PDB file of all heavy atoms in Angstrom:
ATOM      1  N   GLY A 648      -4.601 115.511 -38.337  1.00 78.00           N
ATOM      2  CA  GLY A 648      -3.491 115.275 -39.265  1.00 78.00           C
ATOM      3  C   GLY A 648      -2.672 114.067 -38.850  1.00 78.00           C
ATOM      4  O   GLY A 648      -2.217 113.312 -39.714  1.00 78.00           O
ATOM      5  N   THR A 649      -2.520 113.864 -37.570  1.00 75.00           N
ATOM      6  CA  THR A 649      -1.825 112.638 -37.083  1.00 75.00           C
ATOM      7  C   THR A 649      -2.616 111.387 -37.337  1.00 75.00           C
ATOM      8  O   THR A 649      -2.102 110.342 -37.675  1.00 75.00           O
ATOM      9  CB  THR A 649      -1.484 112.779 -35.597  1.00 75.00           C
ATOM     10  OG1 THR A 649      -0.758 113.989 -35.385  1.00 75.00           O
ATOM     11  CG2 THR A 649      -0.700 111.602 -35.077  1.00 75.00           C
ATOM     12  N   LEU A 650      -3.952 111.541 -37.167  1.00 75.00           N
ATOM     13  CA  LEU A 650      -4.837 110.389 -37.368  1.00 75.00           C
ATOM     14  C   LEU A 650      -4.796 109.880 -38.808  1.00 75.00           C
ATOM     15  O   LEU A 650      -4.659 108.678 -39.053  1.00 75.00           O
ATOM     16  CB  LEU A 650      -6.292 110.758 -36.979  1.00 75.00           C
ATOM     17  CG  LEU A 650      -7.366 109.712 -37.205  1.00 75.00           C
ATOM     18  CD1 LEU A 650      -7.119 108.505 -36.323  1.00 75.00           C
ATOM     19  CD2 LEU A 650      -8.747 110.321 -36.953  1.00 75.00           C
ATOM     20  N   ASN A 651      -4.879 110.801 -39.750  1.00 77.00           N
ATOM     21  CA  ASN A 651      -4.838 110.422 -41.177  1.00 77.00           C
ATOM     22  C   ASN A 651      -4.312 111.581 -41.962  1.00 77.00           C
ATOM     23  O   ASN A 651      -5.058 112.552 -42.227  1.00 77.00           O
ATOM     24  CB  ASN A 651      -6.209 109.960 -41.672  1.00 77.00           C
ATOM     25  CG  ASN A 651      -6.116 109.294 -43.057  1.00 77.00           C
ATOM     26  OD1 ASN A 651      -5.712 109.898 -44.015  1.00 77.00           O
ATOM     27  ND2 ASN A 651      -6.510 108.024 -43.083  1.00 77.00           N
ATOM     28  N   ALA A 652      -3.022 111.525 -42.290  1.00 73.00           N
ATOM     29  CA  ALA A 652      -2.420 112.634 -43.008  1.00 73.00           C
ATOM     30  C   ALA A 652      -3.006 112.848 -44.367  1.00 73.00           C
ATOM     31  O   ALA A 652      -3.148 113.993 -44.817  1.00 73.00           O
ATOM     32  CB  ALA A 652      -0.892 112.435 -43.074  1.00 73.00           C
ATOM     33  N   ASP A 653      -3.370 111.756 -45.073  1.00 71.00           N
ATOM     34  CA  ASP A 653      -3.880 111.893 -46.436  1.00 71.00           C
ATOM     35  C   ASP A 653      -5.222 112.656 -46.432  1.00 71.00           C
ATOM     36  O   ASP A 653      -5.485 113.497 -47.314  1.00 71.00           O
ATOM     37  CB  ASP A 653      -4.075 110.511 -47.073  1.00 71.00           C
ATOM     38  CG  ASP A 653      -2.712 109.840 -47.298  1.00 71.00           C
ATOM     39  OD1 ASP A 653      -1.722 110.557 -47.406  1.00 71.00           O
ATOM     40  OD2 ASP A 653      -2.713 108.573 -47.336  1.00 71.00           O
ATOM     41  N   ALA A 654      -6.084 112.357 -45.431  1.00 77.00           N
ATOM     42  CA  ALA A 654      -7.418 112.913 -45.434  1.00 77.00           C
ATOM     43  C   ALA A 654      -7.425 114.304 -44.823  1.00 77.00           C
ATOM     44  O   ALA A 654      -8.142 115.226 -45.254  1.00 77.00           O
ATOM     45  CB  ALA A 654      -8.374 112.027 -44.670  1.00 77.00           C
ATOM     46  N   TYR A 655      -6.617 114.487 -43.722  1.00 82.00           N
ATOM     47  CA  TYR A 655      -6.716 115.726 -42.949  1.00 82.00           C
ATOM     48  C   TYR A 655      -5.433 116.537 -42.891  1.00 82.00           C
ATOM     49  O   TYR A 655      -5.412 117.573 -42.205  1.00 82.00           O
ATOM     50  CB  TYR A 655      -7.183 115.385 -41.489  1.00 82.00           C
ATOM     51  CG  TYR A 655      -8.428 114.586 -41.454  1.00 82.00           C
ATOM     52  CD1 TYR A 655      -8.438 113.291 -40.912  1.00 82.00           C
ATOM     53  CD2 TYR A 655      -9.658 115.104 -41.906  1.00 82.00           C
ATOM     54  CE1 TYR A 655      -9.588 112.530 -40.857  1.00 82.00           C
ATOM     55  CE2 TYR A 655     -10.823 114.330 -41.813  1.00 82.00           C
ATOM     56  CZ  TYR A 655     -10.784 113.047 -41.311  1.00 82.00           C
ATOM     57  OH  TYR A 655     -11.944 112.301 -41.248  1.00 82.00           O
ATOM     58  N   GLY A 656      -4.387 116.088 -43.514  1.00 73.00           N
ATOM     59  CA  GLY A 656      -3.126 116.783 -43.413  1.00 73.00           C
ATOM     60  C   GLY A 656      -3.166 118.236 -43.888  1.00 73.00           C
ATOM     61  O   GLY A 656      -2.437 119.066 -43.381  1.00 73.00           O
ATOM     62  N   GLY A 657      -4.004 118.521 -44.867  1.00 74.00           N
ATOM     63  CA  GLY A 657      -4.063 119.894 -45.388  1.00 74.00           C
ATOM     64  C   GLY A 657      -5.234 120.725 -44.882  1.00 74.00           C
ATOM     65  O   GLY A 657      -5.487 121.801 -45.384  1.00 74.00           O
ATOM     66  N   TRP A 658      -5.918 120.216 -43.838  1.00 83.00           N
ATOM     67  CA  TRP A 658      -7.104 120.932 -43.308  1.00 83.00           C
ATOM     68  C   TRP A 658      -6.681 122.214 -42.613  1.00 83.00           C
ATOM     69  O   TRP A 658      -5.609 122.311 -41.996  1.00 83.00           O
ATOM     70  CB  TRP A 658      -7.835 120.034 -42.321  1.00 83.00           C
ATOM     71  CG  TRP A 658      -8.902 119.186 -42.994  1.00 83.00           C
ATOM     72  CD1 TRP A 658      -8.869 118.653 -44.195  1.00 83.00           C
ATOM     73  CD2 TRP A 658     -10.130 118.831 -42.414  1.00 83.00           C
ATOM     74  NE1 TRP A 658     -10.017 117.935 -44.464  1.00 83.00           N
ATOM     75  CE2 TRP A 658     -10.825 118.006 -43.387  1.00 83.00           C
ATOM     76  CE3 TRP A 658     -10.769 119.003 -41.213  1.00 83.00           C
ATOM     77  CZ2 TRP A 658     -12.087 117.474 -43.161  1.00 83.00           C
ATOM     78  CZ3 TRP A 658     -12.032 118.449 -40.981  1.00 83.00           C
ATOM     79  CH2 TRP A 658     -12.688 117.692 -41.950  1.00 83.00           C
ATOM     80  N   SER A 659      -7.566 123.199 -42.728  1.00 81.00           N
ATOM     81  CA  SER A 659      -7.410 124.466 -42.038  1.00 81.00           C
ATOM     82  C   SER A 659      -8.633 124.675 -41.133  1.00 81.00           C
ATOM     83  O   SER A 659      -9.546 123.836 -41.095  1.00 81.00           O
ATOM     84  CB  SER A 659      -7.287 125.631 -43.034  1.00 81.00           C
ATOM     85  OG  SER A 659      -8.505 125.776 -43.762  1.00 81.00           O
ATOM     86  N   PHE A 660      -8.664 125.768 -40.421  1.00 84.00           N
ATOM     87  CA  PHE A 660      -9.821 126.064 -39.553  1.00 84.00           C
ATOM     88  C   PHE A 660     -11.111 126.193 -40.399  1.00 84.00           C
ATOM     89  O   PHE A 660     -12.186 125.808 -39.917  1.00 84.00           O
ATOM     90  CB  PHE A 660      -9.560 127.392 -38.796  1.00 84.00           C
ATOM     91  CG  PHE A 660     -10.738 127.836 -37.991  1.00 84.00           C
ATOM     92  CD1 PHE A 660     -11.073 127.194 -36.808  1.00 84.00           C
ATOM     93  CD2 PHE A 660     -11.549 128.918 -38.417  1.00 84.00           C
ATOM     94  CE1 PHE A 660     -12.182 127.613 -36.054  1.00 84.00           C
ATOM     95  CE2 PHE A 660     -12.608 129.329 -37.668  1.00 84.00           C
ATOM     96  CZ  PHE A 660     -12.927 128.681 -36.484  1.00 84.00           C
ATOM     97  N   ILE A 661     -10.981 126.652 -41.640  1.00 82.00           N
ATOM     98  CA  ILE A 661     -12.136 126.779 -42.469  1.00 82.00           C
ATOM     99  C   ILE A 661     -12.751 125.412 -42.782  1.00 82.00           C
ATOM    100  O   ILE A 661     -13.976 125.250 -42.770  1.00 82.00           O
ATOM    101  CB  ILE A 661     -11.800 127.565 -43.767  1.00 82.00           C
ATOM    102  CG1 ILE A 661     -11.358 128.987 -43.444  1.00 82.00           C
ATOM    103  CG2 ILE A 661     -12.972 127.555 -44.746  1.00 82.00           C
ATOM    104  CD1 ILE A 661     -10.834 129.786 -44.643  1.00 82.00           C
ATOM    105  N   ASP A 662     -11.919 124.453 -43.076  1.00 83.00           N
ATOM    106  CA  ASP A 662     -12.416 123.087 -43.369  1.00 83.00           C
ATOM    107  C   ASP A 662     -13.111 122.503 -42.132  1.00 83.00           C
ATOM    108  O   ASP A 662     -14.160 121.812 -42.265  1.00 83.00           O
ATOM    109  CB  ASP A 662     -11.261 122.181 -43.781  1.00 83.00           C
ATOM    110  CG  ASP A 662     -10.587 122.662 -45.061  1.00 83.00           C
ATOM    111  OD1 ASP A 662     -11.300 122.862 -46.035  1.00 83.00           O
ATOM    112  OD2 ASP A 662      -9.340 122.771 -45.075  1.00 83.00           O
ATOM    113  N   LEU A 663     -12.545 122.718 -40.986  1.00 86.00           N
ATOM    114  CA  LEU A 663     -13.147 122.215 -39.753  1.00 86.00           C
ATOM    115  C   LEU A 663     -14.529 122.867 -39.507  1.00 86.00           C
ATOM    116  O   LEU A 663     -15.493 122.185 -39.165  1.00 86.00           O
ATOM    117  CB  LEU A 663     -12.217 122.475 -38.576  1.00 86.00           C
ATOM    118  CG  LEU A 663     -12.572 121.892 -37.193  1.00 86.00           C
ATOM    119  CD1 LEU A 663     -12.610 120.357 -37.283  1.00 86.00           C
ATOM    120  CD2 LEU A 663     -11.590 122.316 -36.151  1.00 86.00           C
ATOM    121  N   LYS A 664     -14.566 124.168 -39.708  1.00 85.00           N
ATOM    122  CA  LYS A 664     -15.839 124.865 -39.533  1.00 85.00           C
ATOM    123  C   LYS A 664     -16.878 124.423 -40.530  1.00 85.00           C
ATOM    124  O   LYS A 664     -18.071 124.285 -40.191  1.00 85.00           O
ATOM    125  CB  LYS A 664     -15.604 126.391 -39.635  1.00 85.00           C
ATOM    126  CG  LYS A 664     -16.820 127.260 -39.401  1.00 85.00           C
ATOM    127  CD  LYS A 664     -16.475 128.738 -39.468  1.00 85.00           C
ATOM    128  CE  LYS A 664     -17.711 129.581 -39.226  1.00 85.00           C
ATOM    129  NZ  LYS A 664     -17.391 131.015 -39.341  1.00 85.00           N
ATOM    130  N   ARG A 665     -16.457 124.156 -41.755  1.00 83.00           N
ATOM    131  CA  ARG A 665     -17.414 123.719 -42.813  1.00 83.00           C
ATOM    132  C   ARG A 665     -18.041 122.376 -42.462  1.00 83.00           C
ATOM    133  O   ARG A 665     -19.277 122.197 -42.649  1.00 83.00           O
ATOM    134  CB  ARG A 665     -16.647 123.606 -44.133  1.00 83.00           C
ATOM    135  CG  ARG A 665     -17.466 122.969 -45.269  1.00 83.00           C
ATOM    136  CD  ARG A 665     -16.638 122.943 -46.545  1.00 83.00           C
ATOM    137  NE  ARG A 665     -15.337 122.311 -46.311  1.00 83.00           N
ATOM    138  CZ  ARG A 665     -15.139 121.010 -46.277  1.00 83.00           C
ATOM    139  NH1 ARG A 665     -16.184 120.168 -46.359  1.00 83.00           N
ATOM    140  NH2 ARG A 665     -13.919 120.517 -46.080  1.00 83.00           N
TER     141      ARG A 665
END
Side-chain angles (χ1 to χ4, degrees):
T649 303
L650 176 64
N651 191 298
D653 294 336
Y655 305 115
W658 270 34
S659 64
F660 175 74
I661 297 174
D662 298 309
L663 187 62
K664 183 178 180 182
R665 173 179 52 79

